Amino acid sequence: MFLYPKDIKEKLEFNKIIEHIKRECLSEMAKDYFEQIEILTDLHTILRFINETDEFKKAIERGEHLPISHFVSIESDVQLVRKEGYVLDIDSIRNIYRIVSIGLELTKYFQEPEKAKFNPMLNEVVANIILDKSLNSEIDRVLDEEGDVRPNASEDLLRISKLIKSKERELDKVFNSELELYKSKGFLLDSQESIRNGRRVLTVSVEHKRKVSGILHDESATGKTVFIEPEKVISINQEVYNLHAERRHEVYKILRALCAFIRPFADTLLTIQHILVRIDTIRAKARFAYRIFAKKPFIQEKPIFAIKTAFNPILVLKNENTSDPVVPFDLELHGNNRILVLSGPNAGGKSVTLKSVGLIQIMLQSGMLVPADENSRFGIFHKIFVDIGDQQSLEDDLSTYSSHLRNMRITTENADKTSLVLIDEFGSGTDPKIGGAIAEAVLNELNYKKIHGVITTHYSNLKFFAYKTHNIVNGAMEFDKNNLQPTFRMHVGKPGSSFAYEIAEKTGLDHRIVTYAQHKTGKNEKAIDDMLITLMSEKKEYEDKLASLLEKQDRLERLIQSYETLNADLEIKRKKIKLQAKEQAASSVMEQNKEMQKIIKELKHSKDEEKAMQASIAFKKIQEDTIKELETLKMEVFAKEISLGTDKIKVGSYVRMRNGTSIGEILSINKNMAEIQMGFITLKVPLIDLVSTKEPIEIKTGKSVNTGISNNERVDTKIDIREYTKNDALNMLQNFLDKALLNNAYELKIIHGIGKGVMKNEVKKMLKQYKDVKEFWHPDPEQGGEGVTLVRM
């Protein structure tokens, strides 16, 4: 990603966004990630980051709370524990325990089906936490809830802990007895006791110090008080001290054994930490997005300006606790327009809008949700150039204008069609005529390089250049003339006026001074500005009318197409009604045929053969005419249906017969005939008899056959009855044939094997019992030969 200048993040105030997000982080590692966050150009990565953040934000909106809390880095601890025999301190083990506990909690959280269903991407991230529960159990066995070593972590530690408690109780009893003794003698001060060098001592008045047997540990700053450990508790204190030393040694042994247990899990621990940091960064971005009402827009590879109802996030945060509204903006450039020349009054919002465009784009390419309508469309830029604010450099001995020129040189040299260019107050800082001319030349060069950009200016020549140049469009910040104040609303399509005189009068500048300035600029300057605004308004009006006409034309074409389709459907329905009537007539003719056959037989029996022959010829002609008329009508209906079909039949298409369900693929088409591969059979069928359909789904079947018959099931066209008993095989075959008939199957394949030919003969017998079987035969030897029977229904 090419960013210019180096401080582009500060100029667009992206650094302020980062600071707000860092406050949402639970770990320092997540904060470091945002401190060094990368501006991305890979669409797949950007979409993944944004989708993860959007998923977490929706979880927040549903009121879900992922079990993740504050944790610290364990990287240095893990590197140390890798060393054989190294013992971590108790705080380091606590940190490891916390990482493991959070990891297990997250894993448990996503084991709930509902959580995994609504958070698939987060679930996928957490699924990489693969940890033996024994590690958590072992740490939990050694450490308590506060992170301290449990008294029963080992048998020796338990014994020592009990002895310490016993000796401390004995110590308290003896000490309290001594305290009461010396208190009754009046040797002690009001405070009676204190702690010195980790031991309980009596606070004795200095004049009685020689009357109290024991060790003098300390005296007060005034010298009036001495702190004495009674003689009777010295030996007990020493025993307690020794027991604590023994306890520390035992704790060290326990921690050394625990570190040895942790050592094999070093890589796993770092993996868990990496996943937790990732969840932490997603969480921080989601919580920030929730604060600023950010959403997930449409994102594409190609650069584009199609931003709808966008807000500057810095202003949203600034007004978070106030009732002041933030005015949104739309930046949608239609057609081939790529550059917006934005003009309008000072303090009218030009610079804020320009910075908003850059800031939102950088947020998006950092994997963040953006404060814009979810129907907005964003592209990906590979280079971003910004020229905002005072560029004066004492270090490089450059004036403000010289710095602007240097920026323009770097931009024109490096920019291309993947670049976003943002320039504020274009051409300012020098003589307006010269500055305006140079700015126009630079703008022309940038347009030639096909960049996308937003440029703010007050120069009329740049507004006029935008008006007459393709791919560049004017824009204006709205100004309320009545109240003489900006509204901060942006309008694309016409230039804006600076309203300098109006603002000058509002600020209280003397009217004579303003009048003098107006006289110096002359009427032409104002007239040109007004004329340009009028031209742009008229141009936009004509463009809107043209767009409206094109939309109406499109609607008219769709209505005409819809009418023609409906009219054709109506014609088909009429023909189908007529076809049904003809089919009924043909059926009636067939019934009459049976009666006529009886009459002809009777005539033959009565030896009136001539009359019988005439009757037979006459009825056959009626029958032929009816069938011919029926076929003609069928052809008309089918031809009409084919002409209206959306899926044209061609080589490679999948089709079925009009009167069947078997699906085949068209191998070739010759005139009105199609060659079709249906299973293991190749057929030649008239195109008129075919209906386009979708590619069939392959279903793998074993030797077992489900003999339940259902019209809704997909029929199997192949059966293997080898290795079954004769009765079982014939029962299976009968069910197979019945199901095939119910589902209008066209061709079947029966695998029975060769053997002694018994099963082959039984299959033939059964096939002959079905009048719907048109023919059956054995295929070529390479396709099974005598062991297979092919059937055509």
Side-chain angles (χ1 to χ4, degrees):
M1 181 69 174
F2 185 94
L3 298 173
Y4 181 83
K6 291 180 181 178
D7 61 346
I8 186 171
K9 293 180 181 179
E10 287 73 24
K11 288 189 177 297
L12 296 176
E13 298 185 287
F14 183 63
N15 58 317
K16 293 181 180 179
I17 298 294
I18 293 300
E19 287 303 315
H20 280 281
I21 295 177
K22 282 167 63 178
R23 290 173 200 154
E24 303 288 350
C25 295
L26 296 169
S27 66
E28 290 298 322
M29 293 165 287
K31 292 178 182 178
D32 291 341
Y33 166 82
F34 286 112
E35 198 64 47
Q36 304 166 21
I37 194 166
E38 182 183 359
I39 312 301
L40 306 165
T41 56
D42 179 63
L43 178 61
H44 176 73
T45 306
I46 293 169
L47 283 172
R48 177 164 57 86
F49 284 2
I50 285 179
N51 287 333
E52 288 172 348
T53 307
D54 187 54
E55 188 172 281
F56 204 119
K57 184 175 83 81
K58 287 176 180 175
I60 293 171
E61 291 169 347
R62 289 193 300 270
E64 291 184 32
H65 298 282
L66 267 72
I68 182 170
S69 52
H70 174 75
F71 60 96
V72 298
S73 174
I74 60 169
E75 191 162 349
S76 59
D77 297 326
V78 170
Q79 297 308 328
L80 290 172
V81 85
R82 287 181 190 274
K83 298 175 182 178
E84 195 68 35
Y86 192 90
V87 181
L88 295 172
D89 58 53
I90 192 74
D91 288 334
S92 297
I93 296 175
R94 283 176 188 148
N95 294 336
I96 289 174
Y97 181 55
R98 181 135 193 85
I99 291 277
V100 173
S101 298
I102 295 172
L104 287 174
E105 283 295 317
L106 282 170
T107 304
K108 183 180 177 182
Y109 181 83
F110 284 107
Q111 284 173 353
E112 294 183 34
E114 283 294 309
K115 300 293 191 293
K117 176 184 175 183
F118 286 110
N119 306 288
M121 299 192 76
L122 297 176
N123 180 39
E124 186 179 341
V125 174
V126 173
N128 292 310
I129 297 177
I130 302 171
L131 182 62
D132 191 335
K133 291 183 180 178
S134 63
L135 176 58
N136 192 63
S137 300
E138 182 63 17
I139 299 176
D140 192 44
R141 186 187 68 79
V142 173
L143 303 183
D144 61 17
E145 291 77 9
E146 302 298 322
D148 296 319
V149 176
R150 295 180 185 274
N152 61 347
S154 73
E155 290 183 5
D156 286 343
L157 185 62
L158 182 60
R159 176 184 57 79
I160 294 167
S161 298
K162 286 180 179 179
L163 284 173
I164 289 173
K165 285 185 178 180
S166 176
K167 284 296 176 183
E168 285 178 343
R169 283 195 297 269
E170 183 184 348
L171 177 65
D172 288 341
K173 184 177 179 181
V174 174
F175 184 88
N176 290 336
S177 174
E178 289 293 286
L179 185 143
E180 290 299 324
L181 173 65
Y182 291 117
K183 178 183 175 184
S184 65
K185 293 181 178 181
F187 296 166
L188 305 182
L189 297 177
D190 291 341
S191 57
Q192 296 182 9
E193 67 172 288
S194 183
I195 299 290
R196 287 294 184 273
N197 301 322
R199 299 193 178 194
R200 288 177 73 184
V201 293
L202 299 173
T203 54
V204 182
S205 180
V206 68
E207 61 266 23
H208 300 300
K209 70 177 181 179
R210 297 190 184 280
K211 297 175 184 177
V212 178
S213 301
I215 297 174
L216 179 65
H217 279 272
D218 196 7
E219 64 179 30
S220 66
T222 61
K224 293 180 179 181
T225 305
V226 292
F227 302 96
I228 299 173
E229 180 184 2
E231 186 177 16
K232 288 185 178 181
V233 300
I234 292 173
S235 60
I236 303 173
N237 259 331
Q238 191 59 44
E239 286 183 55
V240 172
Y241 177 81
N242 291 338
L243 285 170
H244 276 289
E246 192 177 345
R247 185 184 186 281
R248 285 193 295 272
H249 179 70
E250 181 60 25
V251 167
Y252 180 82
K253 283 171 58 180
I254 292 168
L255 293 181
R256 183 174 62 187
L258 182 58
C259 288
F261 190 89
I262 292 171
R263 192 164 292 117
F265 296 97
D267 290 334
T268 303
L269 291 170
L270 291 178
T271 300
I272 296 172
Q273 176 178 272
H274 173 74
I275 292 169
L276 294 190
V277 172
R278 187 171 170 192
I279 293 289
D280 191 8
T281 57
I282 296 169
R283 173 186 175 276
K285 290 189 292 182
R287 285 172 63 86
F288 177 74
Y290 184 74
R291 277 181 65 193
I292 64 170
F293 311 102
K295 296 180 178 66
K296 181 183 77 171
F298 293 103
I299 308 171
Q300 63 183 51
E301 187 78 50
K302 186 180 177 183
I304 189 174
F305 279 146
I307 307 172
K308 298 178 180 179
T309 321
F311 298 87
N312 183 295
I314 302 297
L315 292 179
V316 173
L317 292 167
K318 180 183 176 184
N319 296 348
E320 191 174 21
N321 298 318
T322 69
S323 57
D324 297 336
V326 180
V327 180
F329 70 91
D330 293 342
L331 178 55
E332 195 165 8
L333 303 187
H334 299 286
N336 296 319
N337 292 325
R338 292 178 280 99
I339 302 173
L340 175 70
V341 174
L342 187 59
S343 51
N346 285 315
K350 298 190 303 296
S351 299
V352 172
T353 303
L354 178 138
K355 289 169 76 172
S356 300
V357 172
L359 178 56
I360 291 173
Q361 187 67 42
I362 284 184
M363 286 176 64
L364 181 94
Q365 291 191 222
S366 299
M368 301 178 191
L369 301 178
V370 294
D373 188 273
E374 56 194 6
N375 292 313
S376 301
R377 285 186 295 134
F378 286 82
I380 304 301
F381 293 100
H382 291 250
K383 299 177 182 180
I384 300 180
F385 301 86
V386 170
D387 185 14
I388 298 174
D390 187 359
Q391 302 288 320
Q392 187 173 22
S393 173
L394 296 176
E395 189 178 309
D396 297 331
D397 194 25
L398 291 173
S399 68
T400 299
Y401 187 66
S402 297
S403 295
H404 284 307
L405 288 177
R406 180 188 62 182
N407 292 342
M408 291 307 98
R409 176 182 62 79
I410 293 171
T411 302
T412 52
E413 286 175 356
N414 294 281
D416 56 29
K417 63 182 180 180
T418 66
S419 300
L420 172 63
V421 177
L422 305 171
I423 305 174
D424 193 27
E425 300 294 350
F426 198 24
S428 63
T430 188
D431 181 277
K433 287 188 177 179
I434 298 172
I438 293 174
E440 185 177 322
V442 171
L443 181 56
N444 183 57
E445 178 65 16
L446 293 175
N447 186 38
Y448 174 75
K449 287 179 173 284
K450 298 183 178 180
I451 63 102
H452 283 70
V454 178
I455 291 164
T456 69
T457 187
H458 289 286
Y459 290 170
S460 296
N461 69 304
L462 294 181
K463 300 176 196 177
F464 186 72
F465 182 76
Y467 166 70
K468 69 177 183 178
T469 307
H470 290 296
N471 310 317
I472 306 177
V473 65
N474 275 298
M477 299 306 297
E478 189 178 82
F479 188 79
D480 186 348
K481 292 182 181 179
N482 296 325
N483 297 313
L484 294 179
Q485 62 183 18
T487 64
F488 305 110
R489 293 189 181 90
M490 184 178 74
H491 298 284
V492 176
K494 63 178 181 179
S497 171
S498 60
F499 295 98
Y501 298 130
E502 290 84 348
I503 293 172
E505 287 188 343
K506 186 189 176 185
T507 58
L509 196 64
D510 192 289
H511 181 69
R512 290 184 302 104
I513 298 174
V514 175
T515 305
Y516 180 85
Q518 288 175 325
H519 176 73
K520 290 297 292 181
T521 54
K523 295 181 180 179
N524 289 338
E525 189 75 23
K526 177 71 173 172
I528 290 171
D529 215 24
D530 291 343
M531 182 181 71
L532 186 58
I533 291 172
T534 303
L535 284 171
M536 287 301 296
S537 297
E538 290 176 354
K539 180 183 178 184
K540 188 163 191 319
E541 184 183 347
Y542 290 136
E543 285 176 347
D544 290 344
K545 286 181 178 178
L546 178 61
S548 177
L549 285 171
L550 289 172
E551 184 183 355
K552 287 178 180 178
Q553 183 179 350
D554 183 52
R555 285 183 61 197
L556 180 61
E557 287 175 357
R558 288 202 302 269
L559 284 170
I560 291 171
Q561 186 178 0
S562 177
Y563 167 77
E564 289 175 347
T565 303
L566 289 170
N567 190 43
D569 285 344
L570 184 61
E571 188 179 345
I572 288 173
K573 285 177 181 176
R574 285 173 180 163
K575 288 184 180 291
K576 280 188 174 180
I577 291 169
K578 189 176 179 182
L579 179 60
Q580 287 172 0
K582 285 293 179 184
E583 284 176 339
Q584 288 176 356
S587 178
S588 177
V589 168
M590 294 304 176
E591 290 296 325
Q592 292 173 14
N593 182 38
K594 292 178 183 177
E595 297 296 324
M596 184 58 69
Q597 293 296 334
K598 289 181 182 179
I599 295 170
I600 291 171
K601 276 185 181 180
E602 290 174 1
L603 289 172
K604 282 183 178 179
H605 283 302
S606 63
K607 304 280 181 93
D608 198 347
E609 290 188 9
E610 185 178 348
K611 195 173 182 180
M613 183 64 69
Q614 288 175 355
S616 176
I617 292 169
F619 192 77
K620 188 177 283 187
K621 187 174 187 311
I622 294 170
Q623 202 174 11
E624 287 175 353
D625 290 346
T626 303
I627 292 171
K628 187 176 179 180
E629 190 175 354
L630 185 64
E631 288 299 321
T632 302
L633 198 54
K634 275 186 182 178
M635 291 290 284
E636 287 179 13
V637 173
F638 293 162
K640 195 71 177 177
E641 284 181 336
I642 289 172
S643 67
L644 289 174
T646 54
D647 298 326
K648 298 297 181 184
I649 294 176
K650 57 183 182 294
V651 174
S653 297
Y654 286 90
V655 294
R656 65 173 175 81
M657 305 281 283
R658 287 186 181 275
N659 58 351
T661 58
S662 297
I663 297 173
E665 183 182 2
I666 294 184
L667 302 176
S668 64
I669 296 175
N670 185 11
K671 294 183 179 178
N672 293 323
M673 296 294 291
E675 187 177 10
I676 310 168
Q677 183 70 47
M678 279 194 172
F680 45 83
I681 297 173
T682 302
L683 304 171
K684 286 190 177 180
V685 182
L687 283 173
I688 203 77
D689 289 336
L690 299 176
V691 177
S692 182
T693 187
K694 293 181 179 178
E695 182 178 357
I697 301 171
E698 291 186 8
I699 300 177
K700 295 182 180 179
T701 60
K703 289 184 178 181
S704 62
V705 177
N706 182 4
T707 57
I709 297 172
S710 169
N711 285 330
N712 296 323
E713 294 177 0
R714 178 174 171 81
V715 65
D716 291 323
T717 59
K718 182 175 76 172
I719 187 173
D720 188 348
I721 57 175
R722 292 175 296 178
E723 300 179 8
Y724 290 94
T725 64
K726 178 180 173 183
N727 289 336
D728 288 343
L730 292 176
N731 284 334
M732 289 167 60
L733 180 60
Q734 184 175 359
N735 286 328
F736 172 73
L737 292 171
D738 290 343
K739 186 183 287 189
L741 285 171
L742 285 172
N743 286 277
N744 295 322
Y746 186 76
E747 70 285 323
L748 307 171
K749 183 176 183 179
I750 304 169
I751 304 172
H752 44 69
I754 300 174
K756 295 180 181 179
V758 175
M759 191 57 70
K760 178 179 70 174
N761 293 330
E762 291 295 334
V763 168
K764 287 181 179 178
K765 284 181 186 177
M766 184 170 287
L767 290 173
K768 288 177 181 178
Q769 295 173 14
Y770 284 82
K771 63 179 180 179
D772 296 279
V773 173
K774 185 177 181 181
E775 58 180 325
F776 55 88
W777 71 98
H778 298 299
D780 295 333
E782 58 270 17
Q783 293 181 346
E786 296 287 322
V788 175
T789 298
L790 303 181
V791 183
R792 184 173 294 154
M793 307 301 284

